[in-house]
Amino acid sequence: MDTLFFAHRGSSHKYSENTRAAYLQAIDEGADGIECDVHLSMDGQVVCHHDPTVDRTSDASGLVSAFTLEQLKAMDFTGVVPAEVPAEYGTENEQLLSLDELLALIEDRGKPVGLAVEIKHPSPYGYLLEDRVLQVLAGHGFDPQTGRAGSQGQIAVTLMSFEPDALRYLGRTVNTDLLCQLMTEVNPEYIQELLDSGQVGRAGVYSVLYRSVAEGIELINAGGAGIIGSGVAWTRANEQMVRRWLAEGRQARIWTVDRPADAQYLIDLGVGELTSNRPVELRRELEQH
């Protein structure tokens, strides 16, 4: 099968998302790539974590940006999927990784792996987040034209964001073929409801998601992002646009695909990369049909 299967926040059906265990599981079971999310910690470290806060994913609470990497590592991030983590996948306080540690972990496994890094906005640090991501990648031999990193060039890096401004910023120094514009459906009335209820932080996140569609379409059309990163529902609702982009030679990496019916629809559409919480099982199910 030519389709590439990326592990969404690692193999997050089996172990808690964005943890050492989830990433190692993805590599060891044969996923083609890993998707991770990044924020900056208080001490300027690029941290692999999805939400702007640790409330949902750990035994603590507060903004990721308000803690140092050392403080974050003292938290327990294994509770999202309460599975016993094998000793070789690390202890409780080794589960949260910096991007630097994730790259080293992939390098150590020695397998060719794609690494899709989602840059999360809004960030209190602005473009410092992008700058630090590029610095970390450069430390692992990242070539901003080919996307290759690692001692053998075995890590294929792409950079993603819902925030079109982030991709425009990255596009100054990184080949736009390596940039993925993420898009999903968000109701503007919902953003207003969050603002009205005082949930300004969440409203800021959803505002980025909402803007990503109109500005993202514009960016893709203008050649500012070579990879289409839409959700399954958005892809179905905008099939003709996606077909046109694919016909024009763009790539597509659609998320989050856990159902074989969705996967087969996307493969038939010409989508080459699928992001799934259960990538290897999904590939196996498709190959059996």
Side-chain angles (χ1 to χ4, degrees):
M1 185 176 288
D2 294 335
T3 311
L4 298 181
F5 291 79
F6 277 69
H8 184 235
R9 309 176 196 173
S11 286
S12 52
H13 71 304
K14 188 144 190 181
Y15 298 111
S16 295
E17 63 185 62
N18 283 315
T19 58
R20 179 189 295 269
Y23 296 139
L24 284 172
Q25 177 70 22
I27 298 168
D28 292 350
E29 68 185 8
D32 300 299
I34 288 170
E35 184 264 351
C36 70
D37 312 278
V38 294
H39 292 273
L40 273 190
S41 64
M42 189 168 71
D43 52 345
Q45 300 299 308
V46 183
V47 176
C48 297
H49 190 264
H50 180 270
D51 300 359
T53 74
V54 299
D55 299 34
R56 178 181 65 86
T57 54
S58 81
D59 59 348
S61 64
L63 291 167
V64 173
S65 59
F67 297 103
T68 65
L69 179 60
E70 185 179 0
Q71 288 171 329
L72 289 164
K73 282 183 172 292
M75 300 172 192
D76 180 4
F77 287 91
T78 62
V80 177
V81 177
E84 187 173 340
V85 176
E88 63 266 28
Y89 283 1
T91 64
E92 177 185 299
N93 296 121
E94 293 176 319
Q95 293 307 311
L96 180 98
L97 297 181
S98 66
L99 180 61
D100 183 51
E101 290 170 324
L102 175 56
L103 283 155
L105 186 124
I106 296 170
E107 175 87 44
D108 186 58
R109 276 305 197 258
K111 296 181 181 179
V113 174
L115 178 62
V117 181
E118 182 183 341
I119 296 173
K120 304 298 284 189
H121 278 286
S123 169
Y125 299 106
Y127 293 134
L128 182 60
L129 174 55
E130 283 78 2
D131 291 342
R132 289 288 295 121
V133 166
L134 292 175
Q135 285 171 11
V136 171
L137 290 171
H140 291 267
F142 174 65
D143 181 336
Q145 287 307 302
T146 65
R148 291 288 165 180
S151 57
Q152 308 296 319
Q154 73 275 33
I155 307 172
V157 177
T158 51
L159 299 165
M160 315 187 295
S161 189
F162 283 99
E163 176 54 79
D165 287 342
L167 299 182
R168 291 188 192 101
Y169 183 80
L170 290 165
R172 298 176 187 177
T173 52
V174 176
N175 184 345
T176 55
D177 287 347
L178 305 176
L179 303 181
C180 177
Q181 175 64 57
L182 298 170
M183 292 179 289
T184 190
E185 293 171 317
V186 178
N187 187 324
E189 284 80 22
Y190 180 59
I191 301 168
Q192 192 57 50
E193 284 174 22
L194 290 172
L195 286 169
D196 292 343
S197 64
Q199 298 185 60
V200 179
R202 285 185 67 203
V205 171
Y206 279 97
S207 179
V208 169
L209 301 186
Y210 178 63
R211 284 197 307 104
S212 72
V213 176
E215 291 188 36
I217 290 169
E218 192 178 299
L219 189 69
I220 292 169
N221 284 334
I227 307 171
I228 307 148
S230 48
V232 175
W234 194 95
T235 305
R236 285 186 179 275
N238 298 274
E239 182 182 310
Q240 292 311 311
M241 191 184 302
V242 175
R243 281 188 186 278
R244 174 171 61 79
W245 283 334
L246 291 170
E248 291 170 353
R250 293 176 179 85
Q251 301 300 311
R253 181 186 301 134
I254 308 303
W255 53 275
T256 302
V257 189
D258 287 343
R259 295 173 55 241
D262 285 331
Q264 194 59 60
Y265 161 76
L266 293 165
I267 291 167
D268 292 344
L269 192 61
V271 171
E273 299 179 2
L274 306 178
T275 301
S276 175
N277 294 311
R278 46 193 298 277
V280 176
E281 289 90 336
L282 183 63
R283 179 166 58 201
R284 195 176 300 125
E285 288 164 9
L286 290 167
E287 287 172 344
Q288 287 170 352
H289 281 78

